[in-house]
Amino acid sequence: LFTLCCGRRLPSGEYQLPKVALVANISSDNDQYLTFGDLETLCHEFGHAMHSVLSRTELQHLSGTRGPQDIIEVPSHVFERFASDRRALSLMAQHSGLDAGAITSELMGALNAKR
């Protein structure tokens, strides 16, 4: 995640909205689908992006991921959990045109065992 512009209160009183770029090295050989590890990484980085975009601070050096380490990791770990949630994976599968019924409890157990 790259912060292009931090959110902050401008001298005029207006609020400068943050701008971020999510950049990920997707290593999948398949052009159409992500690997489980790539999905976890994408969800994790998306959590950082959401933290940066939704934070509202007066001072830019405290905006988004520029805070204490234990605080900045909370949203990213929450979003990362979507990659191991059967309901979330079923919705992603449907969106991709895959059979959501293929996401079984056994498959989820095997994926989570590899973590």
Side-chain angles (χ1 to χ4, degrees):
L1 177 79
F2 294 99
T3 301
L4 305 173
C5 175
C6 289
R8 68 183 178 115
R9 181 78 49 205
L10 298 172
S12 66
E14 291 183 282
Y15 192 80
Q16 173 181 289
L17 294 174
K19 296 178 182 103
V20 298
L22 196 152
V23 180
N25 182 17
I26 304 299
S27 60
S28 177
D29 293 334
N30 187 331
D31 292 339
Q32 195 171 7
Y33 304 113
L34 298 174
T35 65
F36 184 66
D38 288 340
L39 178 61
E40 277 187 315
T41 299
L42 182 63
C43 289
H44 180 96
E45 294 304 323
F46 185 74
H48 286 306
M50 291 301 294
H51 186 190
S52 292
V53 171
L54 295 176
S55 67
R56 287 282 221 189
T57 59
E58 298 295 313
L59 306 171
Q60 69 180 3
H61 68 280
L62 296 175
S63 178
T65 57
R66 294 174 177 230
Q69 190 70 28
D70 57 342
I71 299 297
I72 65 170
E73 286 300 321
V74 171
S76 59
H77 285 276
V78 168
F79 272 90
E80 190 177 309
R81 298 299 296 167
F82 281 104
S84 0
D85 184 87
R86 184 175 179 216
R87 296 163 299 179
L89 280 179
S90 293
L91 287 172
M92 289 181 222
Q94 287 174 346
H95 181 72
S96 300
L98 299 172
D99 178 18
I103 312 284
T104 63
S105 297
E106 292 77 23
L107 175 62
M108 293 308 303
L111 288 172
N112 288 321
K114 291 181 179 182
R115 294 179 82 208

